[in-house]
Amino acid sequence: MTIMNSQTSTKRIIQVALFLVVGAIAPLLDTTMTNVALDTIMKSLNVSVNAIQWITTSYVLAMGIAVPVAGWASNWFNGKHLYLWALVVFLLGSIVSSWATTLPLLIVGRVIQGAAAGFIVPLITTLIVQVAGGNGLGKLMAIVGMPAVLIPILGPTVGGYLIQTLNWHWIFLINIPLVLISLVLLAWKMPSFPAVRRGKHLDIPSLVLLAGLFTSSIIGITRFSTGDSFTSLKVLTPLLLALAFLIGYVLYAFFLPQKALVSLQLFKSPTFDASAIILMLSGIAVNGAMFLLPLYLQNSRGLSVVWSGTYLIAQGIGLLVVRGQIGKLTDSIGARWVVLAAIAIAIVGTLPFVFFTAKTSTWLVLLTLFVRGIGQGGLTIPVMADSYTGVPQALVAEATTATRMLQNIGGAMGTAVLATIIQHELPKVGLTAAYQTAFLWSVGFIAVTAIPAWFLSHRKIAK
């Protein structure tokens, strides 16, 4: 497919967006169902909170490492073929995960799934931006984000039902027919995206430096959660190694810009810098809390796996209510005020969990989750759209690589950080207080995003 001309209708662009979104259904459904299943898997495999977080962390970390490869591949291979092969790999990871009877094998399956998702998610954005030519991105990001709205409404309840009536292995087995149906539909109906065959070749040193940076960071955080002090060599060694990888990549990209996977030129734009920082911080706050909420509902409030999933529908409805308006607002007034308002709403929807107990009214919990969903929607669409503001067409794939990578790594770090907090607080203050402390940290991460949000684009409303 070539980039569409001026006569191409908006309807056709939206149709292409919807075809691409079909492939994201299984990965997103899998993520929401897995979050609800964590407590069940933890008890089934007899492992700790710190150990079970690797089911989420390994998936998101694999996504983050795969994203740079996807950014390179989108320039050199047919986009449709890449997309279909990524779905095949996700299918393989789902099969391995469904067979797992030990935590290490389950983590292997999750790594395979995460690596595939690391291609699927950024490919959607890259191909849509290419097709649209950079116009009306707020509205298009809202369409691309539809599964992220609808699936959190369905996923937790479907996952809870599968776990309660069958067993947790079925949250992975259900992916098999979903992916097979998607493969047939996309192979038949999705248009082709021929490779432009321009841009950089896959740079192994870049990939090694970025993978080393993210992996070392997560290992340092998780070792701290096992009880090692922050100043111990077991913790400091991987964290210092992560710092060395970061410095190494910056120097490499500075002296060899023609080879580096993510160009430092992207960071010359204040809006891109702000978007990148917000995506990482929101990844910590949003993804970390999505790991935290099902565990809290099942352990602190004593809900069944089905009811915990049902509670989370309220958050998905909050996302759904604002999804369409957020895209329009971003296109008309810019991202700054939309994101600042969303930060305030997200804090209002998260802070009450610091004070909730097992006796707190169900309706109050549901209302708070609904409000949190509204805030969560405003922290993703505007920032993703604004990250492309002022970015040259030649750097679109690299911009997608950088933003998705930071968001995924932020999510992996958020899961690890909140699991660390729970693990440290649990022996000292008990179950409910440990979760309350973790929610307080999540609020802090959300609040800090207000600083970079001030540097996002903004414009006056046309009279």
Side-chain angles (χ1 to χ4, degrees):
M1 167 177 275
T2 56
I3 295 177
M4 298 185 178
N5 58 39
S6 59
Q7 296 180 339
T8 303
S9 67
T10 302
K11 182 179 178 180
R12 176 60 175 162
I13 296 174
I14 291 174
Q15 186 181 47
V16 172
L18 290 173
F19 279 133
L20 290 167
V21 161
V22 166
I25 292 174
L28 286 172
L29 187 63
D30 179 84
T31 300
T32 55
M33 291 193 299
T34 303
N35 285 333
V36 173
L38 288 174
D39 187 60
T40 303
I41 298 172
M42 182 169 63
K43 292 170 181 174
S44 173
L45 301 182
N46 194 28
V47 294
S48 67
V49 172
N50 179 61
I52 206 68
Q53 62 93 12
W54 276 105
I55 294 177
T56 301
T57 301
S58 62
Y59 179 90
V60 183
L61 184 60
M63 277 186 72
I65 294 172
V67 163
V69 184
W72 157 78
S74 64
N75 280 332
W76 292 94
F77 296 94
N78 186 295
K80 179 177 180 177
H81 297 163
L82 277 177
Y83 203 67
L84 293 176
W85 274 110
L87 279 172
V88 170
V89 174
F90 185 85
L91 177 64
L92 174 62
S94 298
I95 293 170
V96 173
S97 297
S98 68
W99 286 346
T101 54
T102 63
L103 185 62
L105 183 57
L106 180 55
I107 290 172
V108 169
R110 294 292 285 163
V111 167
I112 296 171
Q113 285 183 307
F119 271 75
I120 293 168
V121 176
L123 269 174
I124 293 174
T125 307
T126 299
L127 297 178
I128 284 300
V129 172
Q130 287 178 2
V131 168
N135 297 317
L137 289 179
K139 183 178 180 180
L140 285 172
M141 289 302 172
I143 294 169
V144 170
M146 273 197 301
V149 179
L150 299 175
I151 290 174
I153 297 175
L154 301 173
T157 306
V158 172
Y161 179 79
L162 288 172
I163 295 162
Q164 188 159 298
T165 56
L166 299 166
N167 57 59
W168 63 262
H169 296 275
W170 277 89
I171 64 172
F172 302 111
L173 285 170
I174 194 67
N175 289 333
I176 297 173
L178 288 175
V179 174
L180 289 175
I181 291 169
S182 295
L183 283 170
V184 171
L185 178 62
L186 293 171
W188 176 36
K189 284 288 188 179
M190 191 171 103
S192 183
F193 291 83
V196 294
R197 295 197 176 277
R198 64 168 182 261
K200 299 170 182 175
H201 292 275
L202 181 61
D203 186 60
I204 300 301
S206 291
L207 191 59
V208 170
L209 287 168
L210 291 171
L213 166 61
F214 303 139
T215 306
S216 299
S217 301
I218 300 300
I219 290 173
I221 293 169
T222 52
R223 282 187 178 175
F224 178 61
S225 72
T226 60
D228 292 308
S229 69
F230 189 77
T231 55
S232 72
L233 284 178
K234 285 186 177 180
V235 175
L236 278 179
T237 299
L239 291 181
L240 290 173
L241 192 59
L243 179 61
F245 278 124
L246 174 61
I247 295 171
Y249 183 81
V250 170
L251 292 174
Y252 184 83
F254 180 79
F255 288 109
L256 295 170
Q258 72 280 9
K259 290 187 176 182
L261 280 174
V262 177
S263 173
L264 297 182
Q265 290 182 1
L266 287 169
F267 298 94
K268 292 181 179 179
S269 166
T271 55
F272 180 85
D273 292 345
S275 298
I277 294 169
I278 293 170
L279 286 170
M280 185 163 186
L281 290 173
S282 65
I284 295 174
V286 174
N287 288 28
M290 288 306 294
F291 161 80
L292 183 62
L293 279 167
L295 291 175
Y296 162 77
L297 292 171
Q298 292 172 42
N299 291 324
S300 185
R301 292 188 64 86
L303 297 178
S304 68
V305 67
V306 172
W307 273 109
S308 66
T310 305
Y311 269 50
L312 293 174
I313 289 176
Q315 184 170 258
I317 293 174
L319 272 164
L320 182 61
V321 166
V322 299
R323 176 65 61 167
Q325 295 305 314
I326 286 175
K328 294 176 184 177
L329 277 173
T330 303
D331 287 339
S332 62
I333 66 173
R336 177 194 288 179
W337 300 113
V338 179
V339 173
L340 286 172
I343 290 169
I345 294 169
I347 290 173
V348 171
T350 306
L351 187 59
F353 284 99
V354 177
F355 307 100
F356 283 169
T357 66
K359 297 181 179 180
T360 300
S361 165
T362 296
W363 289 109
L364 184 56
V365 175
L366 292 174
L367 177 61
T368 305
L369 285 168
F370 174 77
V371 172
R372 191 177 186 280
I374 293 174
Q376 185 177 331
L379 274 172
T380 50
I381 295 173
V383 180
M384 286 303 299
D386 213 42
S387 63
Y388 295 99
T389 301
V391 172
Q393 186 72 22
L395 293 178
V396 164
E398 290 185 49
T400 302
T401 297
T403 52
R404 290 294 185 183
M405 190 167 51
L406 289 169
Q407 187 179 31
N408 291 332
I409 298 307
M413 287 185 174
T415 302
V417 167
L418 294 182
T420 296
I421 293 165
I422 295 170
Q423 196 80 10
H424 270 270
E425 294 293 314
L426 201 57
K428 297 185 289 183
V429 297
L431 189 65
T432 299
Y435 282 113
Q436 289 172 336
T437 303
F439 278 117
L440 185 60
W441 275 80
S442 182
V443 169
F445 284 121
I446 296 172
V448 170
T449 59
I451 298 172
W454 187 257
F455 297 93
L456 294 173
S457 67
H458 64 286
R459 60 185 72 93
K460 293 181 179 180
I461 301 175
K463 294 182 179 179

